[in-house]
Amino acid sequence: MARRSLPILKQILSKSSDQCSPFLTPTRSVTYMPRPGDGAPRAVTLLPGDGIGPLVTGAVEQVMEAMHAPVYFEKYEVHGDMKRVPEEVIKSIKKNKVCLKGGLATPMGGGVSSLNMQLRRELDLYASLVNCFNLRGLPTRHENVDIVVIRENTEGEYSGLEHEVVPGVVESLKVITKFCSERIAKYAFEYAYLNNRKKVTAVHKANIMKLADGLFLESCREVATKYPGIKYNEIIVDNCCMQLVSKPEQFDVMVTPNLYGNLVANTAAGIAGGTGVMPGGNVGADHAIFEQGASAGNVGNEKLVEQKKANPVALLLSSAMMLRHLQFPSFADRLETAVKQVISEGKCRTKDLGGSSTTQEIVDAVIAALE
């Protein structure tokens, strides 16, 4: 009797499935339950920046408008040759808590302070995050690369504490504190925990800078004990670079002091497909600035600007990170899916990805791919 009833049971289940039985899992799941009013449009400070900045930020504006994304921009002109970030810009970011920016040119030498560093210090954006991953349809030397580089953003060699001791002798101070080392380590482990990442690797040079990088490692080890479910290991920065170019798939989340993180993030980005497609941002307890992940200060060259062939993909993906940060996950998913679809199809690609498309052609393709 039991064996004879099995085909009948299968038929019943098949019919129930066709009729969307209430006992089966629905096709659309609830992603999160917003609070009343969370759908109101949010103000975002926009800094187009220098060089290709206006091109790629303009691309984001067009895509956001096409998506009817619940954000609107307060735009300010800021350029790398300014002595300071205008006070009205700082006030706008503090009010809105979120900023999207293009590259700001940093003058070489001459004692002129980087505006990027000024923003990070003024807003205490202590964590820089760059996600370097393979994109389907974009051939690279290595597969299965998905690395998140989290770097301390406020001290280290980037403290800017330099002076000329005597003519021809310059002293540059590297500052490492336990407070900043602990909080970047906590951020890295918290990120790994919340994003289902399995391993955190601390990058250092404690074999030479025993006190400074030793303090950084000591802080990472202390924090690691509070996250027993996440594997922790350490690697010297020069060996790290060699391992990145030979076997990058071994890395998951990497936590680094300031200078090393800059080098590691750009290396990982080059391995995974180039700096033109890697998203990133800078975040603190209260504020966040989203920008191109690796080579964030890259403003391109004049020829690229004239031809209007800058790659907007990195900033579009950074904008998806921004939408998720603002708790608009469905808009972020739509944008990411559309960008990845365009890359996968391979019909529209800028010069850095082996094509000849203009920025506007990429924008049009992404808008067409939006669901």
Side-chain angles (χ1 to χ4, degrees):
M1 290 291 290
R3 287 181 181 176
R4 289 178 183 176
S5 63
L6 279 175
I8 298 173
L9 180 60
K10 287 180 179 178
Q11 289 178 16
I12 294 171
L13 287 174
S14 176
K15 288 180 181 179
S16 298
S17 177
D18 292 340
Q19 296 169 5
C20 297
S21 168
F23 298 103
L24 300 178
T25 304
T27 55
R28 182 180 291 275
S29 60
V30 177
T31 53
Y32 77 110
M33 188 172 181
R35 294 167 298 185
D38 272 1
R42 308 289 178 84
V44 173
T45 305
L46 178 64
L47 309 180
D50 300 308
I52 64 171
L55 272 176
V56 293
T57 55
V60 172
E61 288 183 276
Q62 290 184 62
V63 174
M64 290 290 184
E65 185 177 353
M67 291 175 66
H68 303 291
V71 297
Y72 62 94
F73 295 107
E74 295 180 359
K75 191 183 298 187
Y76 294 89
E77 289 297 323
V78 178
H79 302 285
D81 57 0
M82 292 179 173
K83 291 185 178 180
R84 282 200 57 81
V85 179
E87 189 60 34
E88 60 178 349
V89 174
I90 298 294
K91 287 181 179 178
S92 174
I93 300 174
K94 286 184 176 180
K95 173 177 67 75
N96 298 331
K97 300 188 182 299
V98 176
C99 173
L100 181 72
K101 67 180 281 291
L104 290 173
T106 300
M108 300 296 177
V112 180
S113 177
S114 162
L115 296 193
N116 292 310
M117 285 303 300
Q118 285 184 27
L119 282 169
R120 292 166 194 168
R121 284 189 187 141
E122 185 78 24
L123 301 167
D124 196 24
L125 306 176
Y126 66 86
S128 167
L129 185 148
V130 182
N131 190 1
C132 303
F133 56 93
N134 290 126
L135 285 160
R136 184 177 297 176
L138 188 62
T140 57
R141 291 177 182 268
H142 297 278
E143 297 179 353
N144 302 317
V145 177
D146 187 4
I147 302 169
V148 174
V149 182
I150 294 174
R151 107 190 208 221
E152 206 291 319
N153 223 5
T154 61
E155 57 178 20
E157 291 86 349
Y158 284 17
S159 300
L161 300 175
E162 295 182 313
H163 62 276
E164 191 171 36
V165 183
V166 294
V169 180
V170 172
E171 190 173 58
S172 181
L173 302 179
K174 171 177 177 173
V175 177
I176 296 286
T177 65
K178 189 171 181 62
F179 172 78
C180 289
S181 297
E182 278 188 350
R183 70 175 181 175
I184 196 65
K186 286 177 183 175
Y187 183 83
F189 276 93
E190 188 176 71
Y191 177 91
Y193 172 69
L194 293 175
N195 288 277
N196 195 30
R197 296 276 181 162
K198 307 302 181 185
K199 181 169 67 173
V200 172
T201 301
V203 182
H204 67 96
K205 192 66 177 173
N207 56 325
I208 302 299
M209 284 167 274
K210 299 181 185 297
L211 292 178
D213 286 19
L215 178 59
F216 177 78
L217 277 188
E218 178 187 310
S219 302
C220 290
R221 290 168 185 168
E222 288 178 8
V223 174
T225 61
K226 300 173 183 177
Y227 294 83
I230 297 172
K231 184 179 178 182
Y232 170 70
N233 65 345
E234 301 165 358
I235 189 168
I236 297 173
V237 64
D238 40 355
N239 182 33
C240 173
C241 292
M242 189 273 288
Q243 293 289 337
L244 269 173
V245 298
S246 58
K247 194 180 176 184
E249 62 275 8
Q250 68 182 287
F251 296 108
D252 191 356
V253 175
M254 306 175 81
V255 60
T256 77
N258 207 330
L259 176 60
Y260 307 154
N262 200 356
L263 305 177
V264 167
N266 279 274
T267 304
I271 289 165
T275 58
V277 293
M278 300 302 153
N282 305 280
V283 67
D286 300 311
H287 311 97
I289 293 181
F290 295 88
E291 58 189 334
Q292 180 175 324
S295 288
N298 178 23
V299 294
N301 54 51
E302 291 181 9
K303 189 175 180 181
L304 201 61
V305 177
E306 289 172 6
Q307 295 176 343
K308 297 185 178 180
K309 290 187 175 182
N311 191 346
V313 168
L315 199 64
L316 286 169
L317 291 175
S318 297
S319 300
M321 290 173 61
M322 180 187 76
L323 287 169
R324 200 164 281 117
H325 178 79
L326 290 169
Q327 296 188 334
F328 297 128
S330 62
F331 287 92
D333 291 344
R334 284 177 62 205
L335 179 52
E336 277 186 2
T337 301
V339 171
K340 289 178 179 178
Q341 181 180 322
V342 171
I343 294 292
S344 178
E345 290 173 352
K347 296 176 184 177
C348 289
R349 288 186 182 174
T350 46
K351 186 178 180 180
D352 59 315
L353 302 183
S356 59
S357 301
T358 63
T359 305
Q360 190 58 50
E361 286 170 343
I362 301 292
V363 171
D364 293 341
V366 170
I367 290 174
L370 287 170
E371 295 180 357

